[in-house]
């Protein structure tokens, strides 16, 4: 119980430090983004309107400590501010529009890559030294290619040359978003190409890691004892070897889940996909600090939540950790 309390305290302190840093960074950058926005309305706004606009974006005359307390107050009420580039749209609205696209594409593809790569790694590790080892150089080569190169190659061949998939976007222009057949079919068609690029380029990482852990685990005494008992090969492979070899991969998988939001920027920029990564790219270009802060906040929370889930999964899969908790 004491170890669990220490972990919970660690996550709370980490969240506080990350949120505080998220508050300070835009205020330490030289320049005033609100002034740049007001330049577009020069001569059109009176002093009262300028003051109200600065207050709306948290740029009041209060000292930084007072601003910090106001920031926490708004954050606890779910208020992430108003976007500069999409004024007067709230940041929470933009995040609500982009998150389903990112989670639906990047999240599903991350899970698929982990499941397929780990399953192949179990088989390759179990049958090491046979023809199945040929999967390793092929998948390692695909993983070593810079992702944006691989994505551009996929776009060139399958979208521009063969016209098998749409070139970019999340759905066909002119369709009304909704739970109808034509829209959902268009969403799947537009997601197929980036999904293919993500899964193919990341399977090798999981396969190689799981294969090496399987080779190490198969030499353990409990696996040799299971063989001596005459247990079936399938049971030894899954229950004894794969279950224990999965633990390091599970930690990496939890981290990859946490970085789904932040790691989606390359995919969504290359394929012009309407998710959080593309919104972050636009926010950086437009110096939209409230939107950047909101996206960084979501990234921080997802990383911490993923690590917490990894700790809980360790407790469930490895009985030895329950003694420490």
């Amino acid at each position: 119980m004491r170890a669990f309390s220490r972990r919970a305290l660690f996550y709370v302190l980490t969240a506080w430090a990350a949120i505080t840093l998220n508050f300070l960074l835009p205020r330490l950058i030289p320049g005033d983004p609100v002034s740049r926005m007001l330049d577009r309305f020069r001569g059109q706004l009176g002093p009262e309107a300028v003051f109200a606009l600065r207050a709306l974006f948290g740029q009041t005359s209060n000292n930084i400590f007072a601003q910090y307390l106001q920031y926490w107050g708004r954050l606890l009420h779910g208020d992430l501010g108003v976007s500069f580039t999409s004024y007067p749209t709230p940041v929470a609205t933009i995040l609500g529009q982009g998150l389903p696209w990112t989670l639906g594409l990047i999240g599903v593809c991350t899970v698929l890559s982990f499941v397929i790569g780990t399953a192949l790694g179990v088989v390759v590790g179990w049958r090491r030294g046979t023809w199945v080892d040929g999967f390793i150089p092929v998948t390692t080569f695909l993983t070593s290619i810079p992702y944006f190169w691989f994505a551009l190659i996929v776009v060139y061949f399958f979208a521009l040359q063969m016209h098998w998939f749409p070139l970019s976007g999340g759905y066909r222009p002119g369709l009304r978003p909704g739970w109808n057949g034509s829209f959902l079919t268009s969403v799947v068609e537009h997601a197929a190409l980036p999904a293919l690029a993500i899964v193919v380029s990341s399977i090798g990482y999981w396969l190689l890691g799981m294969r090496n852990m399987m080779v190490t685990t198969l030499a353990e005494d409990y696996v040799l004892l299971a063989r001596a008992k005459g247990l079936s090969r399938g049971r030894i492979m899954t229950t004894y070897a794969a279950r224990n070899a999965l633990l390091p991969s599970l930690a990496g998988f939890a981290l990859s889940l946490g970085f789904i939001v932040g790691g989606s920027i390359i995919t969504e920029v290359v394929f012009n996909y309407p998710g959080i990564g593309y919104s972050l790219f636009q926010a950086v270009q437009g110096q939209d600090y409230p939107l950047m802060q909101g996206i960084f906040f979501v990234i921080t929370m997802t990383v911490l939540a993923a690590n917490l889930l990894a700790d809980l999964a360790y407790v469930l899969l490895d009985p030895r950790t329950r003694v420490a908790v």
Side-chain angles (χ1 to χ4, degrees):
M1 193 65 182
R2 184 178 300 175
F4 179 79
S5 300
R6 287 198 298 267
R7 290 181 183 178
L9 180 61
F10 167 78
Y11 285 117
V12 171
L13 292 176
T14 303
W16 169 79
I19 293 173
T20 302
L21 189 62
N22 196 22
F23 165 81
L24 290 175
L25 281 179
R27 289 161 175 81
L28 296 177
I29 297 176
D32 185 358
V34 178
S35 298
R36 297 191 188 98
M37 181 181 178
L38 292 174
D39 287 340
R40 292 182 293 174
F41 305 99
R42 183 174 297 174
Q44 303 177 23
L45 299 177
E48 296 82 2
V50 172
F51 178 81
L53 196 59
R54 287 188 176 277
L56 178 64
F57 289 113
Q59 301 288 332
T60 61
S61 58
N62 296 333
N63 60 58
I64 193 168
F65 182 72
Q67 293 181 31
Y68 179 66
L69 295 179
Q70 292 173 359
Y71 174 75
W72 268 102
R74 292 194 304 269
L75 198 62
L76 293 176
H77 287 85
D79 182 8
L80 298 176
V82 179
S83 171
F84 287 177
T85 55
S86 302
Y87 178 82
T89 305
V91 170
T93 301
I94 298 176
L95 294 177
Q97 294 171 349
L99 268 177
W101 293 96
T102 297
L103 295 178
L105 174 64
I106 313 298
V108 171
C109 291
T110 302
V111 174
L112 282 177
S113 301
F114 173 75
V115 172
I116 296 173
T118 301
L120 288 175
V122 171
V123 176
V124 173
W126 180 259
R127 299 174 61 86
R128 65 192 184 280
T130 63
W131 64 270
V132 294
D133 271 339
F135 282 109
I136 296 176
V138 175
T139 55
T140 302
F141 170 74
L142 293 174
T143 303
S144 63
I145 299 176
Y147 177 75
F148 66 91
W149 275 23
F150 184 72
L152 291 175
I153 292 172
V154 167
V155 169
Y156 176 77
F157 282 104
F158 292 103
L160 290 176
Q161 296 298 319
M162 300 180 182
H163 303 287
W164 289 359
F165 300 99
L167 181 61
S168 63
Y171 55 91
R172 190 169 67 252
L175 289 178
R176 182 183 296 273
W179 296 100
N180 54 78
S182 58
F183 175 74
L184 295 178
T185 301
S186 180
V187 168
V188 173
E189 290 176 350
H190 283 75
L193 196 58
L196 175 67
I198 295 171
V199 173
V200 171
S201 64
S202 56
I203 280 180
Y205 170 79
W206 301 114
L207 187 155
L208 185 60
M210 190 63 183
R211 187 260 185 195
N212 293 338
M213 286 304 303
M214 279 290 292
V215 171
T216 303
T217 305
L218 288 173
E220 296 290 341
D221 292 339
Y222 53 82
V223 176
L224 299 178
L225 178 61
R227 292 180 188 272
K229 287 182 177 180
L231 299 180
S232 65
R233 291 171 59 87
R235 185 177 179 185
I236 296 174
M237 182 179 70
T238 56
T239 306
Y240 287 83
R243 179 177 178 179
N244 290 279
L246 182 64
L247 293 176
S249 296
L250 187 65
F253 175 62
L255 289 176
S256 67
L257 285 180
F259 285 103
I260 282 175
V261 177
S264 65
I265 182 169
I266 298 178
T267 301
E268 295 178 2
V269 169
V270 171
F271 292 96
N272 196 25
Y273 202 76
I276 290 297
Y278 191 70
S279 298
L280 179 59
F281 176 72
Q282 291 180 316
V284 172
Q285 282 189 320
Q287 295 182 322
D288 191 342
Y289 296 132
L291 182 55
M292 283 190 284
Q293 281 184 306
I295 294 175
F296 292 152
F297 173 76
V298 172
I299 293 173
T300 301
M301 293 299 104
T302 53
V303 170
L304 291 177
N307 278 274
L308 179 60
L309 291 176
D311 284 344
L312 296 177
Y314 257 91
V315 173
L316 293 176
L317 292 175
D318 191 351
R320 293 170 296 182
T321 60
R322 300 173 193 171
V323 178
V325 176

